[in-house]
Amino acid sequence: MTAGDSALHHLDSAGMRDFLARFVQIPSVYLPDTAGANESAAAAFVVDVLTEWGLNPTVWEVQPGRPNIVAELHGSFGAGALLLMEGHTDVVTPGNLANWTYPPFGATVVGDRMYGRGTADMKSGVAAMLYAVRALQLAGSPFAGTIRLLIPVDEEGLMIGIKDIVARGYADGAAGAIICEPEEHEVCTAQKGALRLKLHSVGRVAHGAMPDEGVNALTPLIRLLNPIIDLQAELRSTHGDHPLLGKIYISPTVLRAPIGGDASQVNVLPDSADVYLDIRTIPGVNHQRIVATIQGYIDVLCQKHPSYQVALTIIDDRPSTEIPTSHPLVQALRAAHLKVYGDVPPYGGVPGSTDGTIITRDSGVPVVVYGPGHKRIPHQPDEFVHLSEVDNAARVYIHAALQFLSTPV
Ligand SMILES: [Zn+2]
């Protein structure tokens, strides 16, 4: 019997399904200023399981009620590489309950499907990685080096959980990371970058009948939106499309003035206005250069119109990531998928960003995204996962970890 066969023999599918159901039944939606609406109960549930298995998890709160978890399993073959596996505990809100056929936190099983918020994104990924590690542990940890589980909060927010994990050094020196997000059998080697900018304009209130007495805060932003929209086409012609990630996007998503005002005062010039930009990039696009270009548009406009005041703020900056398909972790996942499913998985790209973006940005560790669940089902009503796919994901993780960590150093 190979080490892989032995570990598969120890995979507790029934236990994993039970874990997943109970995990989904804990509504770990983070809602600011709502008592108890956070990841604490879901994290405590994970910590109990890890503790029962003797994995001695490290737990700390990033913010009150928002605990991160790190745990690791050392191989019995001695020193070797460090493999990270990552999955978050938070889920997005169920939204309008009328759109759900099944209760969003019921974990209802119908045939091979389990329904509920977080079944795909990504409590099934967390279940698969935990039970894969448990199976490896029960098989005697037949590998070299270490598997470290990173289980942060707030992936659906500003990713404060993973930022804190990386800042504490838990990704340092890792040879690679598997992000267990739902990617529908694709081995995702690239993730889009995301840059969120805010342009804030300050003017001076005046009566609409005497606009020369004030400064309309909206006007400079409208003038700026034209070159910003044209910048998308410029970047696309410079960089082309990415084979796995597609196009570059620059989308103005919010335009508002006066800030906090309503439409009742149509005869008053707004004294403040905001534009938000959601920019999605591909490898090779330099975010700093985009910021500098837009700042250049602002400077030119404000020189021409000295009464304009526009300030640019970076709300969030997540670079794109790409790992070569020849990387041993990519090849290990590919070979593992072939063993479990009998076919070669396609390479894919992640259109959004994951916690893996932060791991690469802040620690330089290459990431691959692979996990159970459909790519487009997250955040929708009637989110579901195929339970057979959760089993298979755990099997793939077992084979991939054993191949990646086969060599002692
Ligand atoms: Zn997710």
Side-chain angles (χ1 to χ4, degrees), residues 184 247 292:
E184 221 176 328
K247 291 176 175 6

Side-chain angles (χ1 to χ4, degrees), residues 42-131:
F45 175 61
V46 171
V47 166
D48 282 351
V49 171
L50 290 168
T51 304
E52 195 188 304
W53 293 347
L55 288 173
N56 302 320
T58 305
V59 191
W60 72 97
E61 290 197 335
V62 190
Q63 280 177 358
R66 312 198 71 190
N68 272 346
I69 306 164
V70 172
E72 51 189 33
L73 179 67
H74 298 288
S76 58
F77 297 175
L82 170 61
L83 171 64
L84 307 176
M85 298 186 73
E86 198 266 359
H88 57 87
T89 51
D90 60 317
V91 296
V92 296
T93 163
N96 186 352
L97 299 183
N99 293 330
W100 286 77
T101 315
Y102 306 98
F105 300 105
T108 309
V109 175
V110 181
D112 188 39
R113 290 184 176 196
M114 182 187 287
Y115 287 90
R117 176 58 80 230
T119 47
D121 185 9
M122 58 172 295
K123 287 178 169 172
S124 58
V126 173
M129 78 180 196
L130 290 180
Y131 277 78

Side-chain angles (χ1 to χ4, degrees), residues 1 4 18 70 102 121 153 201 241 262 268 298 341 365 367 370 379:
M1 194 152 67
D18 181 58
V70 172
Y102 306 98
D121 185 9
V153 296
S201 165
D241 291 355
D262 58 36
V268 178
I298 295 171
Y341 284 95
V365 173
V367 300
Y370 179 94
H379 303 193

Side-chain angles (χ1 to χ4, degrees), residues 189-245:
T189 54
Q191 300 179 88
K192 261 193 166 164
L195 176 65
R196 278 78 184 255
L197 303 179
K198 175 184 173 182
L199 274 57
H200 179 65
S201 165
V202 177
R204 205 169 60 243
V205 172
H207 195 293
M210 292 161 281
D212 291 345
E213 301 301 312
V215 177
N216 190 332
L218 202 47
T219 314
L221 296 186
I222 292 166
R223 290 183 194 273
L224 286 166
L225 280 175
N226 267 318
I228 287 169
I229 290 165
D230 291 343
L231 181 60
Q232 175 181 276
E234 258 174 65
L235 288 170
R236 284 183 185 178
S237 75
T238 307
H239 297 277
D241 291 355
H242 187 276
L244 298 173
L245 297 172

Side-chain angles (χ1 to χ4, degrees), residues 9 19 32 34 44 55 63 100 106 135 162 188 196 212 226 240 286 355:
H9 174 74
F19 169 90
T34 306
L55 288 173
Q63 280 177 358
W100 286 77
I162 193 67
C188 289
R196 278 78 184 255
D212 291 345
N226 267 318
N286 183 324
D355 278 338

Side-chain angles (χ1 to χ4, degrees), residues 349-403:
V350 182
S353 51
T354 70
D355 278 338
T357 316
I358 305 297
I359 293 177
T360 300
R361 184 190 75 180
D362 294 354
S363 73
V365 173
V367 300
V368 192
V369 190
Y370 179 94
H374 283 236
K375 208 170 176 172
R376 282 164 198 85
I377 199 86
H379 303 193
Q380 294 188 13
D382 284 340
E383 180 179 341
F384 70 91
V385 71
H386 286 113
L387 291 167
S388 54
E389 212 184 311
V390 186
D391 281 346
N392 284 335
R395 294 189 182 105
V396 170
Y397 294 151
I398 288 168
H399 284 303
L402 288 175
Q403 179 174 327

Side-chain angles (χ1 to χ4, degrees), residues 20-342:
L20 177 58
R22 291 164 66 194
F23 197 22
V24 169
Q25 284 161 1
I26 303 169
S28 49
V29 184
Y30 174 62
L31 301 172
D33 307 320
T34 306
N38 55 41
E39 301 93 339
S40 56
F45 175 61
V46 171
V47 166
D48 282 351
V49 171
L50 290 168
T51 304
E52 195 188 304
W53 293 347
L55 288 173
N56 302 320
T58 305
V59 191
W60 72 97
E61 290 197 335
V62 190
Q63 280 177 358
R66 312 198 71 190
N68 272 346
I69 306 164
V70 172
E72 51 189 33
L73 179 67
H74 298 288
S76 58
F77 297 175
L82 170 61
L83 171 64
L84 307 176
M85 298 186 73
E86 198 266 359
H88 57 87
T89 51
D90 60 317
V91 296
V92 296
T93 163
N96 186 352
L97 299 183
N99 293 330
W100 286 77
T101 315
Y102 306 98
F105 300 105
T108 309
V109 175
V110 181
D112 188 39
R113 290 184 176 196
M114 182 187 287
Y115 287 90
R117 176 58 80 230
T119 47
D121 185 9
M122 58 172 295
K123 287 178 169 172
S124 58
V126 173
M129 78 180 196
L130 290 180
Y131 277 78
V133 163
R134 174 61 169 165
L136 288 167
Q137 181 194 30
L138 291 172
S141 305
F143 59 88
T146 300
I147 301 172
R148 185 176 292 156
L149 301 171
L150 310 180
I151 309 170
V153 296
D154 197 47
E155 194 271 348
E156 307 290 1
L158 288 175
M159 304 185 170
I160 61 166
I162 193 67
K163 285 173 182 165
D164 196 53
I165 284 178
V166 177
R168 286 169 188 252
Y170 285 112
D172 291 357
I178 303 173
I179 312 301
C180 305
E181 291 269 7
E183 299 299 345
E184 221 176 328
H185 298 187
E186 291 178 3
V187 175
C188 289
T189 54
Q191 300 179 88
K192 261 193 166 164
L195 176 65
R196 278 78 184 255
L197 303 179
K198 175 184 173 182
L199 274 57
H200 179 65
S201 165
V202 177
R204 205 169 60 243
V205 172
H207 195 293
M210 292 161 281
D212 291 345
E213 301 301 312
V215 177
N216 190 332
L218 202 47
T219 314
L221 296 186
I222 292 166
R223 290 183 194 273
L224 286 166
L225 280 175
N226 267 318
I228 287 169
I229 290 165
D230 291 343
L231 181 60
Q232 175 181 276
E234 258 174 65
L235 288 170
R236 284 183 185 178
S237 75
T238 307
H239 297 277
D241 291 355
H242 187 276
L244 298 173
L245 297 172
K247 291 176 175 6
I248 298 166
Y249 295 110
I250 297 185
S251 305
T253 48
V254 176
L255 170 62
R256 58 178 187 186
I259 295 161
D262 58 36
S264 64
Q265 300 243 288
V266 288
N267 58 345
V268 178
L269 260 59
D271 62 348
S272 59
D274 282 336
V275 161
Y276 286 76
L277 304 173
D278 187 358
I279 302 172
R280 304 296 177 137
T281 64
I282 59 177
V285 177
N286 183 324
H287 286 192
Q288 280 174 330
R289 205 167 297 151
I290 293 177
V291 172
T293 301
I294 294 174
Q295 184 62 54
Y297 299 154
I298 295 171
D299 293 345
V300 168
L301 185 73
C302 291
Q303 263 164 27
K304 208 169 142 193
H305 303 273
S307 61
Y308 291 174
Q309 285 181 56
V310 180
L312 184 156
T313 312
I314 299 169
I315 307 286
D316 202 20
D317 182 3
R318 304 171 189 171
S320 56
T321 71
E322 191 162 31
I323 182 173
T325 52
S326 60
H327 190 280
L329 185 55
V330 176
Q331 289 309 317
L333 272 167
R334 224 173 174 223
H337 182 101
L338 177 61
K339 266 187 195 144
V340 171
Y341 284 95

